[in-house]
Amino acid sequence: MASLVKKFGGTSVGTVERIQAVAKKLAKAKEAGDDQVVVVSAMSGETNRLVAMAKEVMPATVDVRELDVLLSTGEQVTIALLCMALKTLGCDARSYTGAQVRILTDSSHSKARIVSIDTDKITTDLEKGRIVVVAGFQGVDAEGDITTLGRGGSDTSAVALAAALGSDECQIFTDVDGVYTTDPRVESKARRLDRITFEEMLEMASLGSKVLQIRAVEFAGKYNVPLRVLSSFEEGEGTLITTDDEENEMEQALVSGIAFNRDEAQITITNIADQPGTAYSILGPIADLNVEVDMIVQNAGVDGTTDFTFTVHRDEYQRVLDFLVARQKELGAATVTGNDQIVKVSIVGVGMRSHAGIASRMFRALSEKGINLRMITTSEIKISVVIDEDYLELGVRSLHDEFGLADAAVTEA
Ligand code: ADP
Ligand code: ASP
Ligand code: MG
């Protein structure tokens, strides 16, 4: 008998028929003796629909408290429908919103962090032989206000519940049958990985692979929650996210995956003074606007001046560009320009640590396709480049070929 937390994403509960199919799957596992806590997302498209309505009613600003009240309704629909479907199959089941379980979070609406989970109700239900269904993506703060955990946050709800309950495994059921070497919707030759380390998965998620929310991976790594990504629609082993043990070390590929992020936009400021405080004078006020900056590149100074480029989320692009154009004189810049038709493509692999020459292979592969690199950043286990959006697919596929990711992992001496 296993104790499992199972999370079903938006597509997996996207229609009444799919909810019924999930119920059947759970009923079967119940018969086999599993203790199951189930986390569900809103039906696919529902969260976007709610966001769009909120924008219509309140175009100029965002009331994050009310937005969270609104967005949490999406998941409330699916918990109730899933429980009804389970009961129709003769399975005893109970639904709970985040507030009812008491998934206590901080008060950062729309990006709240889980502080604690009260597992009493859940364990009592499990002891009574019930399947417990919890709304993903939401919690409640100390004031009793509804909070949400950021887009894709149901993954984090599931991992946090698994950690609190000490479950044997947290299973993320989705519309692909595991974690692939890259998004299989962009590269059809992408290969499913049997295992990936937390470190690599975290990097992939941070660099744009939305198959798992970043926080869910962080949380699972921190609390050692065994985490697996599987298909809702087919049987299979999926992908296990593991700690970097010796067995993994043996089969380590140089590059294990390619991630990309379409949400980037770039801003460049030219001919600013090459002196202490310049970077701060640009980025300090941007931090005050509560905008996250991703990549930052500053040129080596020539004749006392330098150029400065950085990227922000595309949603923030116009706001930041307008802000800096207005400050151009004050900054002493020759030009302030931007481009929101760019993307970031990254290669990821813990195997890169001990190997030289990977960057040059990456740059050669992209140059052979005539792809211009606008920005480059590296860390021990990843190399990222910013390229024009039109070249995203071509870039991802050429890197996938270059590093032999369609073939089984090759052991490097
Ligand atoms: P859910 O609604 O179940 O949470 P998501 O849309 O959030 O599902 O995540 C699954 C999607 O992640 C897949 O449909 C796939 O297009 C995308 N994806 C991006 N990168 C990868 C990857 N490396 N491996 C698998 N899927 C990926
Ligand atoms: N429904 C939320 C979203 O669309 C949370 C989730 O699906 O994980 O982002
Ligand atoms: Mg998701």
Side-chain angles (χ1 to χ4, degrees):
M1 192 179 93
S3 124
L4 301 169
V5 173
K6 300 181 177 180
K7 178 254 171 178
F8 293 87
T11 318
S12 314
V13 293
T15 61
V16 165
E17 291 73 27
R18 287 198 170 159
I19 291 175
Q20 287 168 321
V22 168
K24 263 192 199 145
K25 197 179 172 84
L26 296 171
K28 204 167 142 197
K30 173 82 205 160
E31 229 154 71
D34 284 352
D35 267 350
Q36 305 174 93
V37 174
V38 183
V39 174
V40 281
S41 291
M43 295 167 89
S44 59
E46 179 62 8
T47 309
N48 287 343
R49 190 181 74 88
L50 296 168
V51 169
M53 277 201 293
K55 277 196 181 141
E56 243 180 85
V57 174
M58 229 179 162
T61 52
V62 184
D63 186 316
V64 284
R65 182 188 182 278
E66 301 312 325
L67 187 64
D68 277 358
V69 174
L70 179 70
L71 296 192
S72 68
T73 62
E75 273 71 12
Q76 192 167 336
V77 170
T78 40
I79 54 169
L81 289 174
L82 180 57
C83 279
M84 290 175 193
L86 281 165
K87 287 179 189 185
T88 308
L89 295 174
C91 283
D92 196 3
R94 273 274 164 101
S95 70
Y96 294 106
T97 63
Q100 283 177 309
V101 174
R102 205 134 199 279
I103 297 182
L104 183 69
T105 71
D106 64 18
S107 301
S108 317
H109 287 289
S110 85
K111 47 177 182 291
R113 285 189 173 266
I114 296 175
V115 176
S116 66
I117 296 183
D118 189 349
T119 53
D120 287 355
K121 273 193 198 132
I122 299 178
T123 40
T124 309
D125 282 334
L126 289 174
E127 278 160 16
K128 288 183 179 158
R130 290 176 178 147
I131 296 176
V132 180
V133 181
V134 181
F137 175 58
Q138 56 179 265
V140 65
D141 72 3
E143 310 295 316
D145 282 339
I146 295 174
T147 55
T148 64
L149 312 180
R151 297 305 301 268
S154 299
D155 295 339
T156 304
S157 310
V159 172
L161 275 162
L165 291 160
S167 307
D168 296 326
E169 196 166 274
C170 179
Q171 303 184 333
I172 307 289
F173 289 90
T174 182
D175 54 7
V176 281
D177 63 350
V179 178
Y180 279 67
T181 45
T182 193
D183 189 338
R185 295 184 206 286
V186 165
E187 168 56 286
S188 57
K189 286 189 279 180
R191 181 174 50 86
R192 185 180 58 77
L193 300 162
D194 290 328
R195 303 160 79 97
I196 184 170
T197 64
F198 278 110
E199 201 181 3
E200 286 169 318
M201 191 64 239
L202 190 60
E203 204 68 43
M204 292 278 281
S206 310
L207 294 168
S209 299
K210 289 181 180 142
V211 59
L212 283 174
Q213 199 202 29
I214 304 168
R215 284 215 193 139
V217 186
E218 259 171 13
F219 212 109
K222 190 166 163 196
Y223 293 97
N224 249 320
V225 177
L227 182 62
R228 191 184 291 275
V229 176
L230 309 125
S231 165
S232 296
F233 310 116
E234 316 159 14
E235 293 300 312
E237 292 297 301
T239 301
L240 185 67
I241 326 294
T242 63
T243 43
D244 198 359
D245 57 23
E246 223 167 89
E247 192 190 333
N248 280 326
E249 212 67 81
M250 296 287 293
E251 20 175 88
Q252 208 103 84
L254 231 47
V255 172
S256 26
I258 297 167
F260 55 85
N261 189 347
R262 299 179 201 263
D263 298 330
E264 301 261 343
Q266 164 189 332
I267 291 176
T268 300
I269 301 167
T270 59
N271 277 48
I272 39 165
D274 185 21
Q275 65 188 30
T278 296
Y280 176 64
S281 71
I282 297 168
L283 296 182
I286 291 183
D288 295 340
L289 289 177
N290 213 359
V291 172
E292 255 177 63
V293 170
D294 182 16
M295 293 166 98
I296 304 172
V297 174
Q298 185 184 315
N299 272 352
V302 179
D303 300 332
T305 67
T306 186
D307 299 339
F308 194 87
T309 302
F310 62 95
T311 64
V312 293
H313 194 284
R314 239 181 242 190
D315 290 349
E316 306 283 9
Y317 169 69
Q318 203 55 52
R319 185 158 74 108
V320 175
L321 185 63
D322 292 348
F323 177 75
L324 285 171
V325 166
R327 292 189 61 219
Q328 182 174 341
K329 263 214 183 108
E330 183 191 334
L331 291 167
T335 58
V336 176
T337 54
N339 184 350
D340 63 350
Q341 308 289 301
I342 53 136
V343 291
K344 181 168 73 175
V345 177
S346 312
I347 60 175
V348 174
V350 290
M352 271 193 239
R353 255 192 200 123
S354 47
H355 286 266
I358 301 195
S360 66
R361 270 177 74 184
M362 177 182 194
F363 303 156
R364 192 195 61 230
L366 294 171
S367 74
E368 280 172 2
K369 301 288 179 199
I371 299 175
N372 188 32
L373 310 184
R374 292 173 163 277
M375 290 172 88
I376 301 169
T377 59
T378 65
S379 81
E380 257 195 320
I381 66 162
K382 70 121 205 270
I383 303 168
S384 299
V385 295
V386 167
I387 62 173
D388 288 340
E389 189 173 27
D390 290 347
Y391 289 105
L392 172 71
E393 279 82 7
L394 183 64
V396 168
R397 287 179 197 142
S398 61
L399 292 173
H400 201 263
D401 274 351
E402 172 64 32
F403 292 103
L405 295 180
D407 317 320
V410 182
T411 311
E412 293 268 332

Short mmCIF file of all heavy atoms in Angstrom, two decimals, residues 30 33-34 71 117 125 130 153 159 162 172 234 256 258 268 279 297-298 300 304 307 326 354 357 380 386-387 412:
data_model
loop_
_atom_site.label_atom_id
_atom_site.label_comp_id
_atom_site.label_asym_id
_atom_site.label_seq_id
_atom_site.Cartn_x
_atom_site.Cartn_y
_atom_site.Cartn_z
N LYS A 30 -7.40 3.04 -5.77
CA LYS A 30 -7.98 2.87 -4.43
C LYS A 30 -8.24 1.39 -4.16
O LYS A 30 -7.94 0.88 -3.08
CB LYS A 30 -9.30 3.67 -4.36
CG LYS A 30 -10.11 3.48 -3.11
CD LYS A 30 -9.56 4.36 -2.01
CE LYS A 30 -9.91 3.75 -0.66
NZ LYS A 30 -9.09 4.23 0.41
N GLY A 33 -5.45 -0.41 -3.11
CA GLY A 33 -5.05 -0.15 -1.73
C GLY A 33 -4.29 1.14 -1.47
O GLY A 33 -3.87 1.40 -0.36
N ASP A 34 -4.13 1.98 -2.51
CA ASP A 34 -3.38 3.23 -2.29
C ASP A 34 -4.16 4.24 -1.45
O ASP A 34 -5.37 4.37 -1.60
CB ASP A 34 -3.08 3.91 -3.64
CG ASP A 34 -1.95 3.21 -4.39
OD1 ASP A 34 -1.31 2.32 -3.80
OD2 ASP A 34 -1.73 3.57 -5.56
N LEU A 71 -9.41 34.12 -8.87
CA LEU A 71 -8.68 33.01 -9.49
C LEU A 71 -8.86 31.70 -8.73
O LEU A 71 -8.84 30.62 -9.33
CB LEU A 71 -7.20 33.34 -9.62
CG LEU A 71 -6.84 34.52 -10.52
CD1 LEU A 71 -5.34 34.55 -10.78
CD2 LEU A 71 -7.58 34.46 -11.85
N ILE A 117 1.03 23.55 6.66
CA ILE A 117 -0.20 22.87 6.24
C ILE A 117 -0.72 22.06 7.42
O ILE A 117 0.05 21.34 8.07
CB ILE A 117 0.07 21.93 5.04
CG1 ILE A 117 0.52 22.74 3.82
CG2 ILE A 117 -1.17 21.11 4.69
CD1 ILE A 117 0.75 21.94 2.57
N ASP A 125 -9.58 11.76 7.22
CA ASP A 125 -10.32 11.26 6.05
C ASP A 125 -9.67 10.00 5.48
O ASP A 125 -10.35 9.04 5.12
CB ASP A 125 -10.39 12.33 4.95
CG ASP A 125 -11.44 13.39 5.25
OD1 ASP A 125 -12.40 13.09 5.97
OD2 ASP A 125 -11.29 14.52 4.74
N ARG A 130 -11.28 7.49 2.77
CA ARG A 130 -11.69 8.46 1.74
C ARG A 130 -10.54 8.86 0.83
O ARG A 130 -9.37 8.84 1.24
CB ARG A 130 -12.21 9.73 2.41
CG ARG A 130 -13.52 9.52 3.09
CD ARG A 130 -13.95 10.79 3.82
NE ARG A 130 -15.23 10.57 4.43
CZ ARG A 130 -15.64 11.12 5.57
NH1 ARG A 130 -14.85 11.95 6.22
NH2 ARG A 130 -16.82 10.84 6.06
N GLY A 153 0.97 27.01 -9.96
CA GLY A 153 1.19 26.77 -8.53
C GLY A 153 0.60 25.48 -7.96
O GLY A 153 0.96 25.08 -6.85
N VAL A 159 3.40 19.21 -4.02
CA VAL A 159 4.68 18.86 -3.36
C VAL A 159 4.62 19.21 -1.88
O VAL A 159 5.07 18.44 -1.02
CB VAL A 159 5.86 19.59 -4.05
CG1 VAL A 159 7.13 19.40 -3.26
CG2 VAL A 159 6.04 19.08 -5.48
N ALA A 162 2.64 16.63 -0.08
CA ALA A 162 3.41 15.39 0.03
C ALA A 162 4.46 15.50 1.15
O ALA A 162 4.68 14.56 1.91
CB ALA A 162 4.06 15.05 -1.31
N ILE A 172 3.00 14.04 -10.49
CA ILE A 172 2.44 15.15 -11.26
C ILE A 172 1.94 14.58 -12.59
O ILE A 172 2.74 14.27 -13.48
CB ILE A 172 3.50 16.25 -11.51
CG1 ILE A 172 4.16 16.70 -10.20
CG2 ILE A 172 2.91 17.41 -12.30
CD1 ILE A 172 3.31 17.52 -9.26
N GLU A 234 -1.88 7.99 -20.44
CA GLU A 234 -1.32 6.67 -20.75
C GLU A 234 -0.59 6.13 -19.53
O GLU A 234 -0.14 6.89 -18.69
CB GLU A 234 -0.26 6.75 -21.86
CG GLU A 234 -0.61 7.60 -23.01
CD GLU A 234 0.63 8.05 -23.79
OE1 GLU A 234 1.73 7.48 -23.58
OE2 GLU A 234 0.49 8.98 -24.58
N SER A 256 21.88 17.72 -20.63
CA SER A 256 20.70 16.85 -20.48
C SER A 256 19.44 17.45 -21.05
O SER A 256 18.49 16.74 -21.33
CB SER A 256 20.48 16.45 -19.02
OG SER A 256 21.00 17.37 -18.16
N ILE A 258 17.36 21.12 -23.10
CA ILE A 258 17.34 22.47 -23.67
C ILE A 258 16.05 23.15 -23.24
O ILE A 258 14.96 22.62 -23.44
CB ILE A 258 17.43 22.40 -25.20
CG1 ILE A 258 18.77 21.78 -25.57
CG2 ILE A 258 17.29 23.79 -25.82
CD1 ILE A 258 18.90 21.38 -26.98
N THR A 268 18.39 48.23 -23.98
CA THR A 268 19.81 48.60 -24.11
C THR A 268 19.97 50.10 -23.93
O THR A 268 19.23 50.89 -24.52
CB THR A 268 20.35 48.18 -25.49
OG1 THR A 268 20.21 46.77 -25.62
CG2 THR A 268 21.82 48.55 -25.65
N ALA A 279 25.50 51.12 -12.86
CA ALA A 279 24.55 49.99 -12.91
C ALA A 279 23.45 50.21 -11.88
O ALA A 279 22.27 49.99 -12.15
CB ALA A 279 25.27 48.68 -12.66
N VAL A 297 24.07 42.48 -18.99
CA VAL A 297 25.38 42.50 -19.63
C VAL A 297 25.86 43.93 -19.71
O VAL A 297 25.13 44.82 -20.16
CB VAL A 297 25.32 41.89 -21.06
CG1 VAL A 297 26.66 42.07 -21.76
CG2 VAL A 297 24.95 40.43 -21.00
N GLN A 298 27.10 44.17 -19.25
CA GLN A 298 27.67 45.50 -19.43
C GLN A 298 28.96 45.34 -20.22
O GLN A 298 29.76 44.45 -19.91
CB GLN A 298 27.95 46.15 -18.08
CG GLN A 298 28.44 47.58 -18.24
CD GLN A 298 28.82 48.23 -16.92
OE1 GLN A 298 28.10 48.12 -15.94
NE2 GLN A 298 29.96 48.88 -16.91
N ALA A 300 32.78 46.17 -21.68
CA ALA A 300 34.00 46.76 -21.14
C ALA A 300 34.00 48.22 -21.61
O ALA A 300 33.64 48.51 -22.75
CB ALA A 300 35.21 46.03 -21.70
N GLY A 304 35.89 55.96 -21.34
CA GLY A 304 35.08 56.44 -20.21
C GLY A 304 33.58 56.19 -20.34
O GLY A 304 32.81 56.61 -19.48
N ASP A 307 28.17 50.47 -22.56
CA ASP A 307 26.78 50.16 -22.91
C ASP A 307 26.25 49.13 -21.91
O ASP A 307 27.02 48.30 -21.42
CB ASP A 307 26.68 49.56 -24.33
CG ASP A 307 27.19 50.53 -25.38
OD1 ASP A 307 27.23 51.74 -25.09
OD2 ASP A 307 27.58 50.06 -26.47
N ALA A 326 12.23 58.16 -20.28
CA ALA A 326 11.97 59.41 -19.55
C ALA A 326 13.19 59.84 -18.73
O ALA A 326 13.38 61.03 -18.47
CB ALA A 326 10.76 59.23 -18.64
N SER A 354 32.46 19.63 -15.74
CA SER A 354 33.82 19.13 -15.88
C SER A 354 34.28 19.09 -17.33
O SER A 354 35.22 18.40 -17.65
CB SER A 354 33.88 17.74 -15.26
OG SER A 354 32.77 16.99 -15.73
N GLY A 357 34.74 23.57 -23.67
CA GLY A 357 34.41 23.55 -25.11
C GLY A 357 32.95 23.40 -25.43
O GLY A 357 32.57 23.36 -26.60
N GLU A 380 27.84 27.34 -14.07
CA GLU A 380 28.49 26.04 -14.08
C GLU A 380 27.71 25.00 -14.88
O GLU A 380 28.29 24.15 -15.54
CB GLU A 380 28.57 25.54 -12.64
CG GLU A 380 29.90 25.66 -12.02
CD GLU A 380 29.95 24.82 -10.76
OE1 GLU A 380 28.96 24.79 -10.01
OE2 GLU A 380 30.98 24.17 -10.56
N VAL A 386 20.46 34.84 -25.89
CA VAL A 386 19.26 35.54 -26.35
C VAL A 386 19.34 35.64 -27.86
O VAL A 386 20.38 36.04 -28.41
CB VAL A 386 19.17 36.95 -25.71
CG1 VAL A 386 18.12 37.79 -26.42
CG2 VAL A 386 18.83 36.83 -24.24
N ILE A 387 18.27 35.19 -28.52
CA ILE A 387 18.23 35.23 -29.99
C ILE A 387 16.89 35.82 -30.44
O ILE A 387 15.98 35.99 -29.62
CB ILE A 387 18.42 33.82 -30.61
CG1 ILE A 387 17.29 32.87 -30.17
CG2 ILE A 387 19.78 33.25 -30.25
CD1 ILE A 387 17.31 31.52 -30.87
N GLU A 412 30.26 9.88 -20.92
CA GLU A 412 31.52 10.50 -21.31
C GLU A 412 32.60 10.12 -20.31
O GLU A 412 32.35 10.12 -19.11
CB GLU A 412 31.36 12.03 -21.30
CG GLU A 412 30.41 12.54 -22.36
CD GLU A 412 31.10 12.91 -23.65
OE1 GLU A 412 32.28 13.28 -23.61
OE2 GLU A 412 30.46 12.78 -24.72
#
